[in-house]
Amino acid sequence: MLHVIGLGLSDAKDITVKGLEIVRKCDRVYLESYTSVLSAKLEDLEEFYGRPILEADRELVENDEDEILPKNEKENVAFLVIGDPFGATTHSDLILRARRNNIKVNIVHNASILTAVGCCGLQLYRFGETVSIPYWSDGWQPSSFYQKIISNRHKNIHTLCLLDIKVKEPTLESIMRKKKEYMPPRFMTTSEAATQILKIYKEKTEVPLEDKLVFSETSIVVGLARVGSADQHIVACSLREMASLNLGPPPHCMIIPAISFHPLELEFLSQHALNGTLCE
């Protein structure tokens, strides 16, 4: 059986009791290590779980899935996922591959950033489409996520922005030489995300008036860092202010709230206001 087990958001102890019991009985244990990051080190997980853990990078999960799957009917494999097993499409693909090979699959759910962002006080039922903000390069600066933010603003609903993570990304030179060399890990910050959004906002020359009215550089945004950990940090401020803030170590995410707030949302979110008050 393949057991896909959510680890939650922070450290080794966030795993569920059910998940921990399964991990300790499995023949092989993998940790998916490229769609998110825990505050705990691999050694911390191994010590607490009492099991050696193999790292599953993007290359292994997306190109060599069969290496992860159980080899026979008696073998049990645990595939550990930060957050919840269905937080990334990669995990759905692995599950489908297992079922196509008549391998039984067991899912153990856990906390996800998709629900944990409610810690800032914004009500989850008011969130619209989630967007991913990718790192830009000199020749690649996609901006399709921006229009999704604008669309949610028109509907007066919140937008969760998941920020890019680069782990074990091959260098351009290594791709050309077909020799494996990797760039240092990078984790997008709320400052970097806000800066990219500001750049799109300022460079859009033909923007409909209705779009300008719903979003600008003075609009309130919410930055969240290390959600679920002891040093969790939340700040609400203008987009312009967020571009210059340092919320510390990763992981980060950002919310573009709706135009108007429910009174309870406003009271709760005001506790995290950078300047003591929220106003656009």
Side-chain angles (χ1 to χ4, degrees):
M1 182 176 286
L2 173 68
H3 302 270
V4 186
I5 301 172
L7 297 185
L9 297 172
S10 180
D11 57 34
K13 294 183 179 180
D14 278 354
I15 191 172
T16 63
V17 174
K18 181 190 292 185
L20 182 60
E21 289 177 345
I22 293 170
V23 166
R24 288 177 173 168
K25 294 177 182 178
C26 281
D27 300 291
R28 285 182 285 137
V29 181
Y30 290 90
L31 172 65
E32 186 269 276
S33 61
Y34 65 91
T35 60
S36 190
V37 58
L38 284 175
S39 60
K41 297 178 181 178
L42 183 65
E43 298 78 35
D44 298 331
L45 301 182
E46 291 181 323
E47 181 179 356
F48 186 69
Y49 301 163
R51 294 301 315 283
I53 298 174
L54 303 166
E55 284 196 81
D57 58 20
R58 183 185 297 274
E59 188 174 318
L60 176 63
V61 177
E62 295 185 352
N63 299 325
D64 296 305
E65 290 173 319
D66 291 339
E67 289 298 312
I68 298 172
L69 299 178
K71 307 300 182 187
N72 55 61
E73 293 181 356
K74 294 183 179 180
E75 188 177 34
N76 282 280
V77 175
F79 185 74
L80 309 181
V81 177
I82 297 167
D84 185 83
F86 291 105
T89 54
T90 296
H91 311 140
S92 298
D93 189 60
L94 179 66
I95 291 165
L96 288 172
R97 171 66 71 90
R99 288 173 176 164
R100 283 196 294 268
N101 284 277
N102 296 315
I103 296 170
K104 294 179 181 179
V105 179
N106 176 45
I107 307 296
V108 181
H109 294 284
N110 209 320
S112 164
I113 191 62
L114 297 174
T115 53
V117 290
C119 65
C120 71
L122 296 178
Q123 296 170 355
L124 293 178
Y125 73 89
R126 293 196 65 204
F127 277 78
E129 182 176 0
T130 297
V131 305
S132 296
I133 301 182
Y135 270 117
W136 283 349
S137 61
D138 291 339
W140 190 71
Q141 297 189 357
S143 60
S144 57
F145 63 86
Y146 182 83
Q147 198 53 49
K148 293 178 182 179
I149 293 171
I150 296 299
S151 177
N152 283 346
R153 290 280 287 187
H154 276 300
K155 297 171 187 173
N156 198 27
I157 51 181
H158 312 311
T159 306
L160 171 61
C161 303
L162 301 178
L163 311 187
D164 202 0
I165 289 176
K166 298 289 188 186
V167 177
K168 209 170 182 183
E169 291 284 330
T171 63
L172 180 59
E173 294 78 9
S174 71
I175 294 174
M176 296 174 67
R177 294 200 308 264
K178 297 183 179 180
K179 180 182 178 182
K180 291 182 179 180
E181 293 179 357
Y182 302 101
M183 294 183 287
R186 288 197 299 162
F187 306 92
M188 182 179 283
T189 65
T190 53
S191 173
E192 291 172 316
T195 298
Q196 288 188 184
I197 293 174
L198 277 173
K199 192 173 191 304
I200 296 170
Y201 172 78
K202 291 176 179 178
E203 291 184 354
K204 278 187 173 291
T205 55
E206 298 180 3
V207 180
L209 178 60
E210 58 268 26
D211 287 357
K212 290 183 178 180
L213 293 175
V214 297
F215 189 65
S216 74
E217 56 189 329
T218 61
S219 295
I220 297 299
V221 300
V222 185
L224 302 96
R226 302 171 302 286
V227 171
S229 66
D231 63 343
Q232 170 180 295
H233 191 31
I234 304 172
V235 176
C237 61
S238 72
L239 179 66
R240 186 195 304 120
E241 290 170 321
M242 186 62 70
S244 61
L245 285 183
N246 179 3
L247 300 190
H252 291 192
C253 65
M254 191 166 69
I255 301 170
I256 313 293
I259 294 173
S260 63
F261 298 100
H262 183 281
L264 289 177
E265 289 182 312
L266 186 59
E267 181 181 355
F268 206 119
L269 193 59
S270 294
Q271 300 174 94
H272 306 295
L274 180 64
N275 300 312
T277 184
L278 290 176
C279 60
E280 293 194 17

